[in-house]
Amino acid sequence: MQKFMIGIFAFVLILASFGLPTADRANASSTYYAYVKSYTLKVRDKASTKYRTLRTLTMGNKVKVTRNVGAFSKVTYGRTTGYVQAKNLSRTKFRSYTAFVKSYTLKMRSNASTHYSVKKTLAMGNQVTVIGKGNKYALVSFGSLKGYVQNAYLLTTPFPSYTVYVTSPTLKLRDHASTHYHVLRTMQFRDQVTVTGKGVKYAQVNANGIIGYVQAKYLGTTPPPTLGYMTTQYPYSLSDAVNKQLKTLRLTDATYSLFVPKNNLTYNGIQWEANTATNVWGGPDNQSWVVTQIAKGKVVQLVRSLDNSDWDQVGFKTGWVNASPADVQYNLDPNNFQNGSAESYQFLDLSVPTAVNPDEVNNKLLKGRGILAGKAATFIQAANQQHINEIYLIVHALLETGNGSSPLATGYSVSSVNGQPVDQKVVYNMYGIGAVDSDPNEKGAEFAYQQGWFTPEAAIIGGAQFIASNYINSSVYHQNTLYKMRWNPANTGAAAHQYATDIGWAVKQARMLKDYYNLLSTYSLKFDIPKYR
């Protein structure tokens, strides 16, 4: 046995004398094929990262492994044989799968970094085949092209398309997800489209075969309300309408530049003040309009003294003032309020109930609104009986009652009317009718007593009758829109029977109406657009 062992040792020494690499032989394994699993892999002429690179392989390349040397494998790829890091090889071929682009655009690059060139820009919804994947990038094929994209922008399932409706008056369909890009077409309110992809701000849609991008906030999954439009022609021009309004009280809370004649101001050593009662004008001449008046002794700030002029510009807190002719014209001109905008709701026909859902009204408009909570059915009853818009009635009631919490809304005890004793009863007034500024609660309660409004329901229905007969369905005035209630355009004589002096009243009320309708899903509306000669 001792001779046998000595013989083996001698044979090993002989092999070593021929220079065969014993380390290689110790780590050798049978030949097999493997696949590159890193984005790139350098093939070197020896088993160390210090040695020369023969070539660079890419993800998915198939190599023949002939030997393992420590952390390296000796491989052959085509005509190149060298050493690669074994950790970047896999004996199992990557199982490719289909993926879909979920970003607006996705750059396919020549290598796995944003520093490399772009081979193609993919679009939202494009289908690719993932043929390799790392921590951040995936190697994909798209048609005949191969390149790298970021994993975060791929989905393994296609976007579940669904039908939506355009909810804005118009909506531009663009070829990319930005307002800077080309408009493919302009869609209209209630147009139906299919959403084929969606990002944070934009949605990709198919509009009758045209695929593009729109702002997602202007799409709704339920059919928008039915909107009808009609036009009423008036027998005079817009300028005639403006001139008529300039001859009556027209107020605004807007702020204007203010001017007074120099001779009407005195500096008392400390401050500037009016030395006489004077008009304050909207321009440095008496051809402009009178904004307001100030009394003698009114302290003002001198904004600037105009050179070569008899006027000074002043400043002080004004509050409600006379509106400028330009502002009157702006609010009178229907062309300034696009159909479908919040401001266009001043043209909403208030003489037509809008078929709202009572449960939806209770849950979305009247919930938590004091004594008005749960009263949707009563408002709808009043609307149907008086041929009046129920949401307008609700808005009016909420405003007048402080969201259903005012004394007149919650019940007010009355024992005398116009100074005469009556049977004491609790009354309700939901619209503030008869509640004059000097004594709103007493006068509003006395009016309610005279009308027999002894329950909240009676006050809702009876008040609706009063509003309808005096304005909305008046046989004399026919003021069935907020615009008509404010401006009374059918009156061809002097301005009269106008609900408010604020030139912005109709617009402000319209915005509130629109806000409430935005909370509802089922209703139909009719608009009456004024048109001047």
Side-chain angles (χ1 to χ4, degrees), residues 278-295:
T278 182
N279 288 332
V280 180
W281 301 76
D285 58 69
N286 54 16
Q287 300 303 310
S288 59
W289 84 103
V290 175
V291 178
T292 188
Q293 295 84 33
I294 55 175

Side-chain angles (χ1 to χ4, degrees), residues 43-92:
V43 181
R44 302 180 183 272
D45 60 355
K46 291 187 179 180
S48 171
T49 56
K50 299 178 182 178
Y51 289 98
R52 181 168 63 93
T53 298
L54 301 176
R55 71 177 300 165
T56 300
L57 303 176
T58 59
M59 181 177 279
N61 283 165
K62 182 180 180 181
V63 298
K64 182 179 181 181
V65 180
T66 58
R67 184 177 299 162
N68 292 314
V69 184
F72 284 79
S73 294
K74 186 175 183 180
V75 301
T76 298
Y77 183 81
R79 296 182 179 182
T80 303
T81 297
Y83 294 85
V84 299
Q85 289 183 299
K87 66 180 181 179
N88 293 322
L89 294 178
S90 172
R91 293 197 184 200
T92 305

Side-chain angles (χ1 to χ4, degrees), residues 436-490:
V436 297
D437 292 340
S438 59
D439 194 0
N441 288 335
E442 288 293 337
K443 295 303 181 183
E446 289 183 10
F447 185 89
Y449 192 101
Q450 292 172 313
Q451 301 300 315
W453 298 344
F454 303 129
T455 65
E457 291 75 15
I460 291 172
I461 295 172
Q465 181 180 11
F466 178 89
I467 295 170
S469 61
N470 283 275
Y471 285 93
I472 294 174
N473 292 317
S474 167
S475 60
V476 177
Y477 299 107
H478 306 289
Q479 292 170 280
N480 64 324
T481 71
L482 292 169
Y483 182 93
K484 293 178 184 179
M485 291 173 72
R486 171 59 189 89
W487 302 109
N488 193 10

Side-chain angles (χ1 to χ4, degrees), residues 148-185:
Y148 292 86
V149 298
Q150 294 188 50
N151 291 328
Y153 302 114
L154 295 178
L155 290 169
T156 55
T157 57
F159 182 86
S161 61
Y162 57 93
T163 299
V164 294
Y165 303 85
V166 175
T167 60
S168 64
T170 59
L171 185 60
K172 290 179 169 56
L173 179 69
R174 300 179 183 272
D175 58 0
H176 285 86
S178 168
T179 56
H180 301 295
Y181 287 96
H182 175 67
V183 176
L184 299 174
R185 63 171 292 186

Side-chain angles (χ1 to χ4, degrees), residues 8-306:
I8 291 176
F9 178 71
F11 180 73
V12 170
L13 289 177
I14 292 171
L15 288 176
S17 69
F18 282 100
L20 292 177
T22 55
D24 277 18
R25 191 189 72 257
N27 292 289
S29 61
S30 59
T31 299
Y32 61 90
Y33 289 94
Y35 301 89
V36 176
K37 66 178 183 178
S38 58
Y39 299 132
T40 58
L41 183 59
K42 298 183 185 305
V43 181
R44 302 180 183 272
D45 60 355
K46 291 187 179 180
S48 171
T49 56
K50 299 178 182 178
Y51 289 98
R52 181 168 63 93
T53 298
L54 301 176
R55 71 177 300 165
T56 300
L57 303 176
T58 59
M59 181 177 279
N61 283 165
K62 182 180 180 181
V63 298
K64 182 179 181 181
V65 180
T66 58
R67 184 177 299 162
N68 292 314
V69 184
F72 284 79
S73 294
K74 186 175 183 180
V75 301
T76 298
Y77 183 81
R79 296 182 179 182
T80 303
T81 297
Y83 294 85
V84 299
Q85 289 183 299
K87 66 180 181 179
N88 293 322
L89 294 178
S90 172
R91 293 197 184 200
T92 305
K93 184 178 181 180
F94 183 85
R95 182 172 293 179
S96 63
Y97 61 90
T98 299
F100 304 86
V101 177
K102 70 173 183 178
S103 58
Y104 301 132
T105 59
L106 183 59
K107 290 179 170 59
M108 178 193 288
R109 299 182 181 272
S110 59
N111 216 321
S113 169
T114 56
H115 300 296
Y116 288 94
S117 62
V118 176
K119 302 179 75 172
K120 185 175 180 62
T121 299
L122 304 174
M124 179 178 280
N126 279 168
Q127 180 177 321
V128 299
T129 301
V130 179
I131 54 180
K133 189 175 181 183
N135 290 332
K136 186 176 181 181
Y137 284 85
L139 176 63
V140 302
S141 64
F142 181 76
S144 60
L145 291 177
K146 292 181 180 179
Y148 292 86
V149 298
Q150 294 188 50
N151 291 328
Y153 302 114
L154 295 178
L155 290 169
T156 55
T157 57
F159 182 86
S161 61
Y162 57 93
T163 299
V164 294
Y165 303 85
V166 175
T167 60
S168 64
T170 59
L171 185 60
K172 290 179 169 56
L173 179 69
R174 300 179 183 272
D175 58 0
H176 285 86
S178 168
T179 56
H180 301 295
Y181 287 96
H182 175 67
V183 176
L184 299 174
R185 63 171 292 186
T186 299
M187 296 182 293
Q188 306 297 317
F189 181 76
R190 290 184 66 88
D191 278 355
Q192 185 174 326
V193 298
T194 301
V195 176
T196 54
K198 191 175 181 183
V200 174
K201 186 176 181 181
Y202 285 85
Q204 183 190 64
V205 301
N206 185 328
N208 294 325
I210 301 176
I211 297 177
Y213 296 86
V214 298
Q215 294 189 55
K217 65 181 180 180
Y218 297 121
L219 299 175
T221 55
T222 57
T226 302
L227 303 184
Y229 294 92
M230 62 172 287
T231 300
T232 297
Q233 178 74 54
Y234 294 101
Y236 53 92
S237 67
L238 177 64
S239 61
D240 291 336
V242 173
N243 290 332
K244 182 168 61 173
Q245 297 300 328
L246 294 178
K247 295 175 184 177
T248 190
L249 190 60
R250 81 284 180 184
L251 300 180
T252 180
D253 52 2
T255 301
Y256 298 113
S257 296
L258 307 174
F259 299 88
V260 296
K262 288 180 185 292
N263 293 338
N264 292 356
L265 292 179
T266 298
Y267 186 68
N268 63 12
I270 299 175
Q271 57 196 8
W272 290 91
E273 61 183 32
N275 56 37
T276 184
T278 182
N279 288 332
V280 180
W281 301 76
D285 58 69
N286 54 16
Q287 300 303 310
S288 59
W289 84 103
V290 175
V291 178
T292 188
Q293 295 84 33
I294 55 175
K296 181 180 179 179
K298 171 70 176 179
V299 175
V300 299
Q301 176 189 1
L302 182 65
V303 177
R304 62 190 176 108
S305 184
L306 303 181

